[in-house]
Amino acid sequence: MNHDSYPDSYIRGILNTVKTIAMVGASEKENRPSYFAFKYLLERGYKMIPVNPGHAGEAMLGQRIYARLSDIPEAVDMVDIFRGSQYALGIVQEGLTLKPRPQVIWMQLGVRNDEAAALAEANGLKVVMNRCPKIEYGRLSSEIAWMGVNTRTLSSKKATIGGIQRMSLNRTSGPGGATEAADRVQREEGGH
């Protein structure tokens, strides 16, 4: 896998299939990037599990914080690494001890560790480095473009979108967070 450039289909495939994400390095501080990413993904229907040893046992946005990956009592589909690159190898090694193993190791913007990536891939895991799932979700669902970012169009006219709408990763629009992940969570919780 070329970790300098990922096909949209690869990123979209990951975001459409994972449902439980453990964020290692999640911060309760509302001004931290990990908080924004955690909240955004939680609002899109993903089951988010914060991992931060300094706050274990507390709650972040209603989700219990765990000290380490091995403390999480349920299966995790993706490990999102919000720590420095030097910590990625140890986090991947711990992730490989989980039963069942996660499907994906995702290293946040600025986090790249080729040794950790090689280890994960050698054990059958998908890897993304130096990317943010929040940004990728927004880009692939066109939510970012709705706000006037990355549209390559300048206009003084206000957009005619009513209320807050969200698009799925498959590029079909839906009201208020209708995504495959959100629909799946609603079905599992006995909703529609």
Side-chain angles (χ1 to χ4, degrees):
M1 168 67 59
N2 175 6
H3 292 291
D4 295 320
S5 176
Y6 300 100
D8 286 350
S9 59
Y10 181 74
I11 300 292
R12 184 179 284 115
I14 289 171
L15 294 174
N16 271 335
T17 56
V18 301
K19 53 185 177 178
T20 302
I21 302 172
M23 184 180 284
V24 179
S27 175
E28 296 174 289
K29 295 179 183 175
E30 294 180 13
N31 63 343
R32 302 293 303 199
S34 62
Y35 181 89
F36 294 129
F38 188 95
K39 183 175 190 245
Y40 180 91
L41 295 170
L42 184 66
E43 289 172 349
R44 297 315 177 273
Y46 295 98
K47 178 166 178 65
M48 298 298 296
I49 302 172
V51 178
N52 185 325
H55 297 280
E58 298 173 19
M60 177 176 170
L61 294 169
Q63 310 304 306
R64 181 172 184 223
I65 301 173
Y66 293 91
R68 46 190 310 122
L69 289 171
S70 56
D71 293 339
I72 299 171
E74 62 186 281
V76 171
D77 299 321
M78 182 170 103
V79 175
D80 184 6
I81 301 175
F82 235 115
R83 301 275 328 269
S85 299
Q86 69 272 26
Y87 300 106
L89 180 59
I91 294 167
V92 168
Q93 290 169 336
E94 183 182 7
L96 290 172
T97 67
L98 301 178
K99 302 290 185 227
R101 286 184 176 165
Q103 303 162 13
V104 179
I105 297 293
W106 190 301
M107 298 181 214
Q108 279 290 338
L109 284 173
V111 181
R112 182 177 179 122
N113 186 312
D114 291 312
E115 184 181 359
L119 177 63
E121 289 175 329
N123 284 280
L125 281 63
K126 292 182 179 179
V127 175
V128 176
M129 294 193 288
N130 194 28
R131 297 280 180 103
C132 175
K134 173 192 180 296
I135 292 170
E136 294 302 309
Y137 189 104
R139 181 180 67 82
L140 292 171
S141 68
S142 297
E143 284 184 16
I144 289 176
W146 287 357
M147 302 303 176
V149 178
N150 199 25
T151 62
R152 296 188 177 107
T153 303
L154 295 175
S155 174
S156 61
K157 295 181 181 179
K158 185 177 179 182
T160 57
I161 298 172
I164 295 176
Q165 296 176 333
R166 297 190 179 119
M167 294 182 79
S168 76
L169 294 170
N170 293 327
R171 299 253 186 214
T172 57
S173 64
T179 63
E180 287 184 26
D183 292 344
R184 183 174 52 240
V185 168
Q186 189 172 17
R187 282 192 304 274
E188 289 173 0
E189 292 177 352
H192 302 283

